[in-house]
């Protein structure tokens, strides 16, 4: 049945080469039959004939995804979303999709532009501020990240993600540690099965010199997550309580999970210079 339909549309395309619809339907049949290269060829022609039509871009994105060509698929979705946002500039959901697409491709500057477009339309959009803060944190702009998370908490004081993130930044910077501790504890109360929140709590406690409590929180985090940052933190706390073998083991594990961490390597080298360890294993 599909084969007969393909022949009909192939004949229609041959007779009406400048009409996009027959090519679009032919491409869809090619895709169903697994003739993906043929489908792509037809869809590219449709795009040339009808640049503003979204259907070809949707089908191209699906075909590229099935071919594991995810960058090309993302490019098609980007075109669709850009067109949609131009047609409906008040639809912040479209900007959100586009921002998340850019974030997944690590195109952070482009993602920031989209989040700011959302905030122009909805200046109290909590999700936009939080995701914007997360991007700033990812790119190392802590000042802007703090501002974004503070805006989240001004709008939604019990936003557990913002509480955790801002508390973690304070711990990393060694400032406002009492406030950071309150934030970290509140985040854990709101989501007591989130390992990342226990990690933040443990890190704040360590920065305050409360090593026994820090160790308990980080061990609780380990019950939920296994993460190179967590094992780096555990290494620091074990060293602080003079459990040097365990510190060495945690730092080795952190490096196994994420090789190339210069700071962790330096800590491990310094530890091994000062303390003798039995055996060759971590």
């Amino acid at each position: 049945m599909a084969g007969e339909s393909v022949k009909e549309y192939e004949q229609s395309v041959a007779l009406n080469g400048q009409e996009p619809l027959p090519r679009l339907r032919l491409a869809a049949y090619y895709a169903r039959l697994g003739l993906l290269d043929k489908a792509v060829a037809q869809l590219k022609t449709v795009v040339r004939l009808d640049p503003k039509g979204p259907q070809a871009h949707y089908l191209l994105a699906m075909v590229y995804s099935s071919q594991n060509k995810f960058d090309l698929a993302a490019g098609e979705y980007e075109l669709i979303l850009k067109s949609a946002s131009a047609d409906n500039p008040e639809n912040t959901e479209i900007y959100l999709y586009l921002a998340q697409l850019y974030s997944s491709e690590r195109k952070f500057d482009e993602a920031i532009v989209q989040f700011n477009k959302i905030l122009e339309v909805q200046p109290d959009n909590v999700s936009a501020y939080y995701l914007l803060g997360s991007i700033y944190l990812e790119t190392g702009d802590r000042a802007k990240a703090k501002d974004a998370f503070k805006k989240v908490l001004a709008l939604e004081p019990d936003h557990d993600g913002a509480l955790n993130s801002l508390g973690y930044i304070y711990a990393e910077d060694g400032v406002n540690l009492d406030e950071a501790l309150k934030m970290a504890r509140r985040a854990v109360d709101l989501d007591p099965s989130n390992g990342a929140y226990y990690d933040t709590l443990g890190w704040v406690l360590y920065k305050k010199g409360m090593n026994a409590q820090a160790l308990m929180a980080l061990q609780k985090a380990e019950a939920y997550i296994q993460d190179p940052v967590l094992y780096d933190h555990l290494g620091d706390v074990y060293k602080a309580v003079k459990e040097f073998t365990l510190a060495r083991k945690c730092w080795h594990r952190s490096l196994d999970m994420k090789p190339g961490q210069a700071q962790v390597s330096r800590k491990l080298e310094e530890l091994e210079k000062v303390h003798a360890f039995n055996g060759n294993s971590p």
Side-chain angles (χ1 to χ4, degrees):
M1 184 71 177
E4 293 178 2
S5 298
V6 166
K7 289 180 181 178
E8 290 178 8
Y9 282 115
E10 284 176 338
Q11 290 173 358
S12 180
V13 166
L15 293 171
N16 304 287
Q18 299 304 305
E19 290 293 328
L21 185 57
R23 289 184 182 275
L24 188 65
R25 290 175 176 170
L26 178 58
Y29 275 109
Y30 280 151
R32 289 180 194 174
L33 294 170
L35 302 172
L36 301 183
D37 289 338
K38 284 188 173 184
V40 169
Q42 292 298 327
L43 291 169
K44 285 182 175 180
T45 302
V46 173
V47 169
R48 180 176 56 80
L49 295 171
D50 183 18
K52 294 185 177 181
Q55 295 92 341
H57 292 296
Y58 275 116
L59 278 174
L60 273 170
M62 293 172 62
V63 172
Y64 285 142
S65 294
S66 68
Q67 293 177 312
N68 296 325
K69 297 178 180 178
F70 299 114
D71 289 345
L72 293 176
E76 296 302 322
Y77 285 124
E78 181 181 333
L79 290 170
I80 295 165
L81 291 168
K82 279 185 174 180
S83 177
S85 62
D87 292 339
N88 191 357
E90 297 297 311
N91 191 335
T92 58
E93 187 174 351
I94 296 170
Y95 294 129
L96 179 60
Y97 286 140
L98 189 52
Q100 291 173 328
L101 175 61
Y102 283 136
S103 296
S104 68
E105 296 181 282
R106 301 188 69 79
K107 295 180 179 178
F108 295 125
D109 289 342
E110 291 92 332
I112 289 169
V113 169
Q114 300 305 316
F115 283 125
N116 283 326
K117 286 182 179 179
I118 294 172
L119 292 170
E120 287 174 9
V121 179
Q122 297 177 345
D124 293 340
N125 190 307
V126 170
S127 294
Y129 277 123
Y130 177 67
L131 293 170
L132 192 57
S134 298
I135 288 178
Y136 285 134
L137 189 57
E138 175 77 12
T139 57
D141 194 335
R142 289 191 183 179
K144 288 184 178 179
K146 285 190 287 188
D147 286 344
F149 293 135
K150 286 177 182 178
K151 287 175 180 174
V152 172
L153 293 173
L155 294 166
E156 189 177 317
D158 273 346
H159 190 291
D160 54 302
L163 287 165
N164 176 72
S165 296
L166 187 55
Y168 187 78
I169 293 173
Y170 286 154
E172 284 285 275
D173 292 345
V175 300
N176 302 331
L177 293 179
D178 289 339
E179 185 180 356
L181 184 57
K182 291 178 183 177
M183 290 178 174
R185 283 176 168 159
R186 182 56 181 157
V188 166
D189 288 343
L190 291 167
D191 188 357
S193 62
N194 192 314
Y197 294 179
Y198 284 106
D199 178 44
T200 295
L201 176 59
W203 195 230
V204 173
L205 289 164
Y206 167 72
K207 287 299 186 84
K208 286 177 64 66
M210 303 167 69
N211 294 324
Q213 292 183 49
L215 187 57
M216 291 175 60
L218 293 174
Q219 289 172 336
K220 189 69 175 285
E222 190 181 15
Y224 294 103
I225 60 172
Q226 284 74 50
D227 179 84
V229 174
L230 169 62
Y231 287 108
D232 180 24
H233 291 167
L234 273 167
D236 285 349
V237 178
Y238 278 129
K239 182 186 176 187
V241 299
K242 302 186 185 306
E243 292 281 358
F244 302 119
T245 299
L246 291 174
R248 179 175 183 251
K249 181 178 179 181
C250 286
W251 284 331
H252 271 293
R253 185 161 186 186
S254 180
L255 288 170
D256 287 343
M257 298 176 77
K258 186 182 178 182
Q261 298 178 78
Q263 185 178 8
V264 178
S265 295
R266 283 195 298 271
K267 288 189 282 190
L268 190 55
E269 289 170 5
E270 290 171 4
L271 184 72
E272 291 179 339
K273 283 180 183 178
V274 176
H275 301 279
F277 295 94
N278 296 322
N280 297 318
S281 65

